[in-house]
Each structure stands twice: as C-alpha cells, then as structure tokens.
Amino acid sequence: MAIEIGREKGTGTVEQRMVYESGNEMAAYAAHQINYHIMGYFPISPSTEVAQFLDLMKAGGKHDIKLIPADGEHGSAGICYGAAAAGGRVFNATSANGYLYMLEQMPVQSGTRLPMVLNLICRSVSGPLNIHGDHSDLYFALNTGWPILMCRDPQAVYDMNIMAIKLAEDPEVRLPVIVAQDGYFTSHQKRRVMTMAHREDVLKFIGEQPPEYPHVLDRDHPITVGPYMNEPDFINNRYQQSMAMYKAGEVYDRIRKEYAALTGRDYPILDLYRMEDAEVAVFLLNSASEIIKDVVDQLRAQGIKAGSISPNMIRPFPAKEIAEALRNVKAITVGDRADSYGGHGGNMTLEIKAALHTHGVKDIHVISRVYGLGGKDFYAEDGRLMFDLALDAVKKGCVEKPFDYIGVTPGDPDKAPKRVLNPLKYEDLKTGLITVTPDPETGKLNVKVPPIRQLTKKPKRLASGHGACPGCGIFSGLELFFKGIEGDIVALYHTGCAMVVSTGYPYSAHKATYIHNLFQNGAATLSGVVEMFWERKRRGELDKYGLKDDFTFIMITGDGGMDIGMGPSIGAALRNHKMIILEYDNEGYMNTGAQLSYSTPLGHRTSTSNIGTHQVGKAFQHKDTPQIMAATNIPYVFTGAESHPQDLLKKAAKAQWYAQNEGLVYGKILITCPLNWLSEDRDGQTIINKAVDSCFFPLYEVEHGVTTITYDPEEKNKRIPVSEWLKMMGKTRHLNKPEHAEVLRAFEDEVERRWRRLKAKHENPYL
Ligand SMILES: Cc1ncc(C[n+]2csc(CCOP(=O)(O)OP(=O)(O)O)c2C)c(N)n1
Ligand code: SF4
Ligand SMILES: [Mg+2]
C-alpha cells in the first residue's frame, strides 16, 4: 500500500508526497500518520480494508496503533468509548448494518463528549442484503450528535481524516466526528492523492498529544462518566451538546482555513460549482457531486445557467450557507441516496426545504429525487435528468411531482422467474435407514446409521450451481451432516460464505425453506421460528398443511457468526429451544476477505493478523466454542469432520433426536477454505484429517454433560505433531520456521492442554 509517486511542495507550506491510493487506503494512511492509540474494529464491507491496511502496516512496524478486533460492531464501539474515556486518541471504521449495530452507542459517546474519529464507508442497509454504496447508513447518523464531514474522493478522505481529529478534540467542540465516504465508489477507487510527507507535520497540525482533559486513568482526580441525570440537568446537558455541535461548524471553518494554508487544499463548508449566477441547481452528496459538475459544464455550454451545490459537512447542517447559495436560484433538484420512508423526500430534501423556509428564500421550486440505491451507478444522464426536472419546474412555474425515485425499472411480470426446483419429497428424505431410540435402562440413545453409501440416494438439500470456490468444504460438510437428518428441515443461515454463495436474488440453491438473518441475531430469530411452530401446532393451525413430520430447525453459522452472534446463541441455549446450531468453522471471516475470527488459531495469518517484522499472525489463542456451549448445559454438543463421515452422521442423527425431543444442540464441523488457507483444493480431506490427528480438532460429544471422545488418534496410534498439519497450509507455513518457534510452541502447548483436559473429562463423567 501507499505507492509513493513523488514529492511535491504543492501550493501549501508543508512538504507533500503524492500517492496513488483508494479512499480506504487513505483513511488508513491518515490514521497511521496520526498514530492513534487505539482502533477497535469489526470487519464489514466496504470498510474492512481500513483495518486490514492498518494491520499490514503494523506488521511492518509503520505505526503502533493498538488494533483490537472486537466481537461485533457494538463491541467495537464499546472499546472505542472506553478507550476515549481513558484519554487517548481513538479510531474506527464501519459501514451499513455494522454502523446500525453500534448505533445505540453513538449518542452515548457524543452525550458524554468523548472525542474520536469514525470513518463511515457508506453502504446500503439490509435487508435484503446489499453491500454496495448508498447513504442509508449515513442518514441514521444524522441524529446521533456527531459532526459529519463528507468526502467526495480519496483526497478528501485523507484531508478530512486529519482535520476530523483536530475538530473532535477542539476544547469548544469535544465531540466524536464521522468522516463519510461512498462505499466502493470512493473506498475502492484509486486516485492520486497528496499527503503530508512527514508525520511530524501532521502531528504539529493536530497537536502531538490530545489536549489534557479529565479521564478515567487519573487516580488523583476521579471522575464519574455518564451519571444518572434527571431534569433540569439533562435538558441543560443536551443544550450544551447542541451548542457544541453548532460550534463545530465554526471551528471547522477555522480549521479548514489553517489546513488550506498548510496544504493548499481547501474544503469550505459548501462546495459550490458555478453557482454565482445559477438559475437551476442540483444538490448531491459526495462522489455523485463530482459527476454532476460535467453536466453543469455541458449545460453552461448550451447557455443554461446551471450550478451544483454539495456540502463538505452535513452536521451541523449548513442551513444558512445553503439558503444564501440558493437565494437567486429558481429551481433545485435535491438528490437523496437514501429515503426517509413516508417523509415525502429524503433527509437532505427535508433539511434544505427547512433551511430555505427559515432563511426566507421563497421563490424557489424544490424537487426531491431518491437515486442510486444499493450501488446503482449515477451517470451524467441521471444528472441531466435532475436538471431537466428543475428546468421544467421553472418553465411551468410549478413542480409536477415533488417526490419520486429515479432509476426505478418496473419489471415485466411475464419474465418473473419460475420455480425450477421442486420441493423435496418427504418420502425421499425420511429413509427409515437411520434410527435413534432411547434405551429405557441406561437412558442413552441407541443410534443406527447405515454406511454412508446407502444414503447416497437421499436427496441433497442444496442444489448444485452455487458459487462456492473450488475445493470449499462448506457444502460437502453440510450435506454430509444433512444426510444424518431424516425428514424436513427449516434452515436459518447467518451471513457468511454459505449464505452469500447460495442465494443471489432471484436465485436460490436451497431446496428446503431458508431464512437469512444477520449473524448477530440468527439464533434469536430461529428461536422465534421454533416457538411459533410449536405454538401454532398446539393451536392446530398447521394441520391444514398436512405436516407429516415435525421439522428439524437448524441454524447454519460460520465461526464468525459465533463471535458476533455468541450472546444470542448462548441466550437461545439457556432457553433451550428445540433447534440445532451447526457451526462450520473455516477459521476466519472468509466472506469478507479472510479476517481473523476468534476461532483463528494462534499465529495463523489472516488479512487482519499479518506476518511481518513486528507481528506473527493472530496474537491470541483460538476460541473453544464447543466448551463454551457445553457450559450452558444444553442436552447435546458435538464436534465433527468430513474426514470421519460415519462419526458425523451418527452425531447428526443424535442432534436431530435431541433437537426434536429435548432442546438445543450445538455442533461444530471443521471445513476447509482453500482460497484463504492458501492450500491445494485437493488436499481438503487430508488437512482436516491432520487437524483431527494432531488433536487440534478433537472429535467428541458432550451428552447431558458427559464427555465422550469419539475418535482418539492416540489410541489408534495415529497422533501427529501439530506442525505436520500446519505445513500443509500457506497461511501457517511460517510457523515451521525457526524464528517463529516460540509461537509454534505456545500453540502446541495450548492444543496439548486442551486435549489432556478433554481426556480427563472423557474419563470422568463429573468433569
Ligand atoms: C453487523 C454486521 N457486521 C459485519 C458484517 C460483515 N460480515 C458479513 S459475513 C462476515 C464474516 C462471517 O464470517 P463467518 O461467520 O466465519 O462465515 P464465513 O464467511 O467464514 O463463511 C462479516 C464480517 C455484517 N454483515 N453485519
Ligand atoms: S472463501 Fe473459503 S469458505 Fe468461502 S466459498 Fe471460498 S473456499 Fe469456501
Ligand atoms: Mg468463517
């Protein structure tokens, strides 16, 4: 990253260096120059790269920001809040549902006046799931009490990030600040960007250290952060916060002038393009506002007095400046890249109308159009259409349709996709070849499972044609598990590779009923489905559907889903709903670009645990999720692997029995991800086998609290050193090098300790 192009003086007073980078790279670049104390983060596209770039730079010793991978965005916001309360400089980046997941924390931070900088890489908010750029997350930020700086291109991302921390820490402001850029449009597009050549100059501008303010680490001056507060203090407190927000507008104006003197780049509160004598105008935020400038030039060439207006700051909202800029304009089209459903216009439209009214600008038509949702490109033609609407209003003296969407296509009902997959036949799924019966004397389950080849006729629950990478272990692992399940299933998939590659609207590879919910809440969602099933069944409402069998409810989650979704999974387990949680563990957040998960083992390389002179992969040991779930005292917990198919089949059959008769089951299967493990597609089974034989991934079950190892490599004389397994994957090959012997040893010791503990449990039913 940071490809240096050349050193230039620029028009400012500091030495500058040109780089060729994207918006995400520039956010990371600015952060590394600022050398924040702490970044708490959780990956979500398109913001993920910011943490990745910082991790890569950290591995190379280019900064010493402590990067803390949170268990979800709510956690990342919590880390940031605590870190800010402890007096240092704090940074974060997120997008879309990640932002919404941390939303509750945003007013907490602004209300207690603890500065930090959050990069919001704007993306559409689910559902349906869409990871592309629009402003629907940004509009949720409008009421959180954070000043919001806008970035139309990667240059602005760099500059605004430097100005943002100064603004946040200003004694008259002391508020956390959002820096917003457009997901993918800006975050992933490379541009030439001028940067300050020396970190010292950046620090001179923002201040070497954050200003001294009371913080929680000063034992001689204890403080109370966030007390319980009644009226009249509360309203007074809010009033002060409101004043600070308006002050942020003034302070920003001062800071941007100082910055302009230093660098030659100026970001006035409004970016006005040919507005001096404009009669028609278009208002847009961020990247689209650059495109519209070409349209303005074309219209001007035709003698039409057109102009563009776009703010560099939307909180505080520059109401007066906008009203002044529009005083002589006859019509304006306001483009909103997000709707305020039912509000007769997006938020920008509503605020501009209010601004015009407040500041006495009457003779202007305002047209509102929602555009570019979910990453729909904004072209010059769309801009032209916006100007045409304004010109039409001027000509007719009225606005025919004040609010509408542009870029919507009606669709053709005749072309609606037809069902191509027929529902699976119940008789085919209920083979009768698998039986599970409790032994009345021992209370144990007698499980009869035929050899796997006898189950080959049982239909697959997923159609082929999904988009998994070659050699991916997810679907073969899931299908093997499903072979052990008799009858119908209802499956809930967490966000992750299994979900993303199997459903791309209007297609779905799922032959059985499928629900998706974001992975912070899947277990709770499925528990709702389960309970509704039982309740409707009890009321006789499902009789008309001629149910032959009771469904088996299965939640499919990745290991990442068991990080962010751990709380709801434990909640569902403690409530003991009749369902299975099946985790496929590929040791990372693969769907978003192979970031570390808590299940990533020590020293393994991921995109947020890089290898370099200052870092050797993941810094902490892998999570023992089966043991955590076993501690909830659910009836059945198991681990399984495709390398041992009969073992997994048997466990699936047991899981079904428990989920239909007693309560919640949790199971973890280890699966391969050749793409990110940097391993050969064909080696999948061997690698999994070695993970089992090295005792890294022991096969066992915990039934009513009693642990049984179902395959013991030591007894079979098959145990191998952990390093045998590690050398098969590119992501771990470095661990077999002498310079990393210490990390390898720490990992081996942990594997051994867990294995010994498991053996002790196996030998003693009370452990
Ligand atoms: C609230 C929220 N935060 C982050 C994301 C981004 N995200 C989607 S899938 C995923 C990784 C899932 O990892 P895992 O559960 O292990 O599944 P895998 O991709 O490895 O199959 C992440 C971080 C999101 N969709 N929603
Ligand atoms: S990234 Fe890995 S887990 Fe995801 S589909 Fe590809 S191989 Fe499978
Ligand atoms: Mg994963």
CSV table of all heavy atoms in Angstrom, one decimal, residues 613-630:
chain,number,residue,atom,x,y,z
A,613,THR,N,7.8,-8.0,10.4
A,613,THR,CA,8.9,-7.9,11.4
A,613,THR,C,8.4,-7.6,12.8
A,613,THR,O,9.0,-7.9,13.8
A,613,THR,CB,9.8,-6.7,11.0
A,613,THR,OG1,9.0,-5.6,10.7
A,613,THR,CG2,10.7,-7.0,9.9
A,614,HIS,N,7.2,-7.1,12.9
A,614,HIS,CA,6.6,-6.7,14.2
A,614,HIS,C,5.4,-7.5,14.7
A,614,HIS,O,4.8,-7.2,15.7
A,614,HIS,CB,6.2,-5.2,14.2
A,614,HIS,CG,7.4,-4.3,14.2
A,614,HIS,ND1,8.3,-4.3,13.1
A,614,HIS,CD2,7.9,-3.4,15.1
A,614,HIS,CE1,9.2,-3.4,13.3
A,614,HIS,NE2,9.0,-2.9,14.5
A,615,GLN,N,5.1,-8.6,13.9
A,615,GLN,CA,3.9,-9.3,14.3
A,615,GLN,C,3.9,-10.7,13.6
A,615,GLN,O,4.3,-10.8,12.4
A,615,GLN,CB,2.7,-8.5,13.7
A,615,GLN,CG,1.3,-9.1,14.0
A,615,GLN,CD,0.2,-8.1,13.6
A,615,GLN,OE1,0.0,-7.0,14.2
A,615,GLN,NE2,-0.5,-8.4,12.5
A,616,VAL,N,3.5,-11.7,14.3
A,616,VAL,CA,3.5,-13.1,13.7
A,616,VAL,C,2.0,-13.6,13.8
A,616,VAL,O,1.7,-14.4,14.7
A,616,VAL,CB,4.4,-14.0,14.5
A,616,VAL,CG1,4.5,-15.4,13.7
A,616,VAL,CG2,5.8,-13.4,14.7
A,617,GLY,N,1.2,-13.2,12.9
A,617,GLY,CA,-0.1,-13.7,12.8
A,617,GLY,C,-1.0,-13.4,14.0
A,617,GLY,O,-0.8,-12.4,14.7
A,618,LYS,N,-2.0,-14.2,14.2
A,618,LYS,CA,-3.0,-13.9,15.3
A,618,LYS,C,-2.3,-13.9,16.6
A,618,LYS,O,-1.5,-14.8,16.9
A,618,LYS,CB,-4.1,-14.9,15.2
A,618,LYS,CG,-5.1,-14.9,16.4
A,618,LYS,CD,-6.5,-14.9,16.0
A,618,LYS,CE,-7.5,-14.9,17.2
A,618,LYS,NZ,-7.7,-16.2,17.7
A,619,ALA,N,-2.7,-13.0,17.5
A,619,ALA,CA,-1.9,-12.8,18.7
A,619,ALA,C,-2.5,-13.5,19.9
A,619,ALA,O,-1.9,-13.6,20.9
A,619,ALA,CB,-1.9,-11.3,19.1
A,620,PHE,N,-3.7,-14.1,19.7
A,620,PHE,CA,-4.3,-14.8,20.9
A,620,PHE,C,-4.9,-16.2,20.5
A,620,PHE,O,-5.1,-16.4,19.3
A,620,PHE,CB,-5.3,-14.0,21.7
A,620,PHE,CG,-6.4,-13.4,20.9
A,620,PHE,CD1,-7.6,-14.0,20.8
A,620,PHE,CD2,-6.2,-12.2,20.2
A,620,PHE,CE1,-8.7,-13.4,20.1
A,620,PHE,CE2,-7.3,-11.6,19.4
A,620,PHE,CZ,-8.5,-12.3,19.4
A,621,GLN,N,-5.0,-17.1,21.4
A,621,GLN,CA,-5.4,-18.5,21.1
A,621,GLN,C,-6.9,-18.6,20.6
A,621,GLN,O,-7.7,-17.7,20.9
A,621,GLN,CB,-5.3,-19.3,22.4
A,621,GLN,CG,-3.9,-19.3,23.0
A,621,GLN,CD,-2.9,-20.3,22.3
A,621,GLN,OE1,-3.3,-21.0,21.3
A,621,GLN,NE2,-1.7,-20.4,22.8
A,622,HIS,N,-7.1,-19.7,20.0
A,622,HIS,CA,-8.5,-19.9,19.4
A,622,HIS,C,-9.5,-20.1,20.4
A,622,HIS,O,-9.3,-20.7,21.5
A,622,HIS,CB,-8.5,-21.0,18.3
A,622,HIS,CG,-8.1,-22.3,18.9
A,622,HIS,ND1,-6.8,-22.6,19.3
A,622,HIS,CD2,-8.7,-23.4,19.1
A,622,HIS,CE1,-6.7,-23.8,19.7
A,622,HIS,NE2,-7.9,-24.4,19.6
A,623,LYS,N,-10.7,-19.8,20.0
A,623,LYS,CA,-11.9,-19.9,21.0
A,623,LYS,C,-12.3,-21.3,21.0
A,623,LYS,O,-12.4,-22.0,20.0
A,623,LYS,CB,-13.0,-19.0,20.4
A,623,LYS,CG,-14.3,-19.0,21.0
A,623,LYS,CD,-15.1,-17.9,20.3
A,623,LYS,CE,-16.5,-17.9,20.6
A,623,LYS,NZ,-17.2,-16.9,19.8
A,624,ASP,N,-12.7,-21.8,22.2
A,624,ASP,CA,-13.1,-23.2,22.4
A,624,ASP,C,-14.7,-23.1,22.4
A,624,ASP,O,-15.3,-23.3,23.5
A,624,ASP,CB,-12.5,-23.7,23.7
A,624,ASP,CG,-12.5,-25.2,23.7
A,624,ASP,OD1,-13.3,-25.8,22.8
A,624,ASP,OD2,-11.8,-25.8,24.4
A,625,THR,N,-15.3,-22.9,21.3
A,625,THR,CA,-16.7,-22.7,21.3
A,625,THR,C,-17.5,-23.9,21.8
A,625,THR,O,-18.5,-23.7,22.6
A,625,THR,CB,-17.2,-22.3,19.9
A,625,THR,OG1,-16.3,-21.4,19.3
A,625,THR,CG2,-18.6,-21.6,19.9
A,626,PRO,N,-17.1,-25.1,21.4
A,626,PRO,CA,-17.9,-26.3,22.0
A,626,PRO,C,-17.9,-26.3,23.5
A,626,PRO,O,-19.0,-26.6,24.1
A,626,PRO,CB,-17.2,-27.5,21.4
A,626,PRO,CG,-16.5,-27.0,20.2
A,626,PRO,CD,-16.1,-25.6,20.5
A,627,GLN,N,-16.8,-25.9,24.1
A,627,GLN,CA,-16.8,-25.9,25.6
A,627,GLN,C,-17.6,-24.8,26.2
A,627,GLN,O,-18.3,-25.0,27.2
A,627,GLN,CB,-15.3,-25.8,26.1
A,627,GLN,CG,-14.5,-27.1,25.8
A,627,GLN,CD,-15.0,-28.3,26.6
A,627,GLN,OE1,-15.3,-28.2,27.8
A,627,GLN,NE2,-15.2,-29.4,25.9
A,628,ILE,N,-17.6,-23.7,25.5
A,628,ILE,CA,-18.5,-22.5,25.9
A,628,ILE,C,-20.0,-23.0,25.9
A,628,ILE,O,-20.7,-22.8,26.8
A,628,ILE,CB,-18.3,-21.3,25.1
A,628,ILE,CG1,-16.8,-20.8,25.2
A,628,ILE,CG2,-19.3,-20.2,25.5
A,628,ILE,CD1,-16.5,-19.6,24.3
A,629,MET,N,-20.3,-23.6,24.7
A,629,MET,CA,-21.7,-24.0,24.6
A,629,MET,C,-22.1,-25.1,25.6
A,629,MET,O,-23.2,-25.2,26.1
A,629,MET,CB,-22.0,-24.4,23.1
A,629,MET,CG,-21.9,-23.3,22.1
A,629,MET,SD,-22.9,-21.8,22.6
A,629,MET,CE,-24.5,-22.4,22.1
A,630,ALA,N,-21.1,-26.0,25.8
A,630,ALA,CA,-21.3,-27.1,26.8
A,630,ALA,C,-21.6,-26.6,28.1
A,630,ALA,O,-22.4,-27.1,28.9
A,630,ALA,CB,-20.1,-28.1,26.8
